Amino acid sequence: MDMSVLLDVMPAVPFFLSAARHLSFTRAAADLCVTQGAVSHRIRQLEEALGFPLFHRFPRRLTLTGEGERLYDILQRPVWDLENEIRRIRHLGLTGTLMVHCPPSLAGTWLVPRLYGFRAQHPGVEVHLRCRNDLVDFETDSVDIAIFYGDVSDSRLHVIPLMQEFVLPVCSPEYARDMRLSEKGKDGLKDCLLLHDNTPWPNSQYYDEWQRWAEKCGVTGLNVQSGYSFDRSELAAMAAENGLGVALGRKQLVSAALAAGRLVAPFREELLATQSYHIALRREDVHRPRIVGFVAWLQSMIGA
């Protein structure tokens, strides 16, 4: 048989193997998720290409011809070995290590408290978490996945949107009571110590986030350049939780503290942040099983 004939018959081989294993075109069709007619047609094409019959067709049963038995014996072991090897490769793909980089604020308040869920789904994958605020360099840093807050325009990377962010003023319940914020409303912020994220987005001023919130929410006369600043958003929220003042909290980062009552949001106004969270990975890693699994798990955690 020349190579052209071999290439012609190969697409029908899975149909033959399934039908030979089950000795039934109907069960082979169910196995392959096609119609019984499609299996019969493929087998007929294969027999024509080979030049000999593969099955004895009886009204209620199917048996292999002598030629069919010989072909089945030749084909089945390599195919099953291949199938088992593919399964082993897939299993190995869901084991090993995964190097994840994430901003410290998101890691501490959102990612780490949820990691037990990934462990439960993929116990064979060991996650190594590294935290930094700037986007890592995939060419020089040891990293498989980077989660970051902001935009990236590196064409070498595959970027996946993860979730949006909202900002809203937060403080401790005691601070809100002492400053009578429920009575004074937003005007009461003028008497409060403002707590800032030092760099809310790249190339921004420490007060830009509070200034944008005040402008969008109609708050005038607020000295947004006053107060304390911190180089990480969760530190500003932590200071607010401990009664220092009012922070402009990122909702994804302060939701647990709000739910537990350690922080309160004295006003209704929250604002869509100028930045959002993204996942970045190398383009060639898009289909790696452990990366696919981690990305899918991250996406399932939104709102959880």
Side-chain angles (χ1 to χ4, degrees), residues 66 111 121 141 145 172 184 223-224 237 242 284:
L111 179 59
Q121 290 183 23
D141 294 320
I145 293 176
S172 69
K184 297 180 179 179
N223 183 8
V224 296
N242 284 277
E284 60 267 28

Side-chain angles (χ1 to χ4, degrees), residues 9-53:
V9 303
M10 284 304 295
V13 167
F15 293 82
F16 166 70
L17 287 170
S18 183
R21 184 166 69 253
H22 295 297
L23 291 178
S24 167
F25 289 169
T26 300
R27 292 177 65 186
D31 190 27
L32 298 169
C33 298
V34 297
T35 65
Q36 187 269 348
V39 174
S40 180
H41 179 68
R42 285 283 192 154
I43 297 298
R44 185 69 68 183
Q45 285 182 325
L46 180 58
E47 290 174 323
E48 291 174 357
L50 293 171
F52 51 80

Side-chain angles (χ1 to χ4, degrees), residues 9 25 141 161 186 194 257 268 281:
V9 303
F25 289 169
D141 294 320
K186 295 189 292 294
L194 301 185
R268 291 178 178 272
L281 52 136

Side-chain angles (χ1 to χ4, degrees), residues 263-303:
L263 287 173
V264 295
F267 319 115
R268 291 178 178 272
E269 286 79 357
E270 61 181 46
L271 184 66
L272 180 66
T274 59
Q275 308 291 326
S276 57
Y277 298 99
H278 294 79
I279 305 165
L281 52 136
R282 297 178 184 87
R283 290 190 175 276
E284 60 267 28
D285 290 342
V286 168
H287 300 296
R288 284 179 59 195
R290 76 191 74 166
I291 289 180
V292 171
F294 192 77
V295 169
W297 173 79
L298 283 173
Q299 293 172 326
S300 73
M301 288 296 100
I302 299 172

Side-chain angles (χ1 to χ4, degrees), residues 17-89:
L17 287 170
S18 183
R21 184 166 69 253
H22 295 297
L23 291 178
S24 167
F25 289 169
T26 300
R27 292 177 65 186
D31 190 27
L32 298 169
C33 298
V34 297
T35 65
Q36 187 269 348
V39 174
S40 180
H41 179 68
R42 285 283 192 154
I43 297 298
R44 185 69 68 183
Q45 285 182 325
L46 180 58
E47 290 174 323
E48 291 174 357
L50 293 171
F52 51 80
L54 297 170
F55 293 95
H56 295 298
R57 295 163 174 82
F58 299 101
R60 296 184 181 276
R61 64 191 178 95
L62 197 68
T63 63
L64 284 165
T65 65
E67 295 88 344
E69 288 179 351
R70 290 183 61 182
L71 183 64
Y72 184 58
D73 288 340
I74 293 170
L75 287 174
Q76 68 170 336
R77 184 169 297 278
V79 172
W80 303 150
D81 287 348
L82 176 61
E83 181 182 12
N84 290 335
E85 187 63 23
I86 290 172
R87 287 177 177 173
R88 283 194 292 269
I89 291 171

Side-chain angles (χ1 to χ4, degrees), residues 188-214:
L189 285 171
K190 298 173 185 177
D191 301 321
C192 296
L193 182 71
L194 301 185
L195 308 176
H196 304 264
D197 179 349
N198 188 58
T199 311
W201 56 83
N203 302 314
S204 62
Q205 298 292 329
Y206 73 92
Y207 54 83
D208 281 350
E209 200 165 40
W210 264 113
Q211 182 169 297
R212 182 173 179 270
W213 181 88

